[in-house]
Amino acid sequence: MRSTKSGQPDGHQTQPEAAAAQPEAAESGSEAAATGRPAGSPTGAGPDRTTRQAALWATVVALPLTVLVAVLVFGQLSPDPVEKPAATPTSAAPQATTPVQMAAPGLAERPATVCRALLSRLPATLRDLGQRPVTAGPEQNAAYGDPAITLACGVARPAVSAVADLWMVNNVCWLTEHRDGGLVLTTVDREVPVRLSVPAGQEQTVQWAAPVSESLVASVPSVPDVPTGCAEG
């Protein structure tokens, strides 16, 4: 019969040592279950907390910067406010569209025919003034702007003195008279006289007659005996 040794071979734990290791393993397993990480893996609590704090501060700093950049970009892209231009004599301004009060005396057949031809050729605007309706005689009267510049066809032929102020405008001779109500221009070289009245509220210049003269040349015949002051220099 062989005798046995009380010791165990090297490299094997005794039963008491194995029993002592079991509580440690159980404790590690409980920790793994509580944290959701495998037993024995590093927790990394310190680095993870630092990373989260850094990300939070980065978000806090970046948000105001993003808003500031958006405001600056919007300001750059927004068009500059444009000031409303003031009305000038050369820019069209809002005007009344109500009919202009005008008389319409009866005309003989020939003057009435000539006046209808003239009115059909008048421009839609006089310089920068739009045409307005009239209360009477649209076949012989016209009005432009506010205050209204009026045109009357078939008026009485004016007397022309030796010192009369005559102007040739686009091949039409006009007698100019400065009255209390403004400037009055009347043709003196046409078969049917035409009067252009420029009220004091408008520029007092003979140039208002320029576009009307073009229509006159095309529709109202001239007369042979024109005043001497109408000769072009």
Side-chain angles (χ1 to χ4, degrees), residues 131-197:
Q131 190 167 0
R132 294 174 58 183
V134 294
T135 57
E139 71 283 350
Q140 65 193 70
N141 294 326
Y144 296 87
D146 181 24
I149 295 177
T150 59
L151 179 145
C153 181
V155 298
R157 188 175 300 278
V160 180
S161 66
V163 294
D165 190 9
L166 301 175
W167 288 79
M168 287 293 295
V169 181
N170 289 355
N171 298 317
V172 176
C173 188
W174 295 85
L175 169 67
T176 64
E177 300 174 282
H178 292 276
R179 302 180 182 177
D180 292 340
L183 178 65
V184 177
L185 308 171
T186 311
T187 60
V188 294
D189 64 341
R190 298 289 135 178
E191 178 184 329
V192 177
V194 174
R195 182 176 63 233
L196 193 64
S197 300

Side-chain angles (χ1 to χ4, degrees), residues 26-101:
E27 183 179 354
S28 299
S30 299
E31 183 181 355
T35 60
R37 298 187 184 90
S41 62
T43 61
D48 287 349
R49 183 176 181 182
T50 302
T51 302
R52 287 196 299 270
Q53 289 179 346
L56 179 60
W57 279 110
T59 303
V60 171
V61 173
L63 183 59
L65 288 176
T66 302
V67 174
L68 178 60
V69 171
V71 171
L72 292 176
V73 171
F74 180 79
Q76 291 293 330
L77 295 179
S78 299
D80 294 333
V82 179
E83 295 182 0
K84 184 177 180 181
T88 63
T90 57
S91 62
Q95 63 181 35
T97 58
T98 54
V100 177
Q101 189 74 30

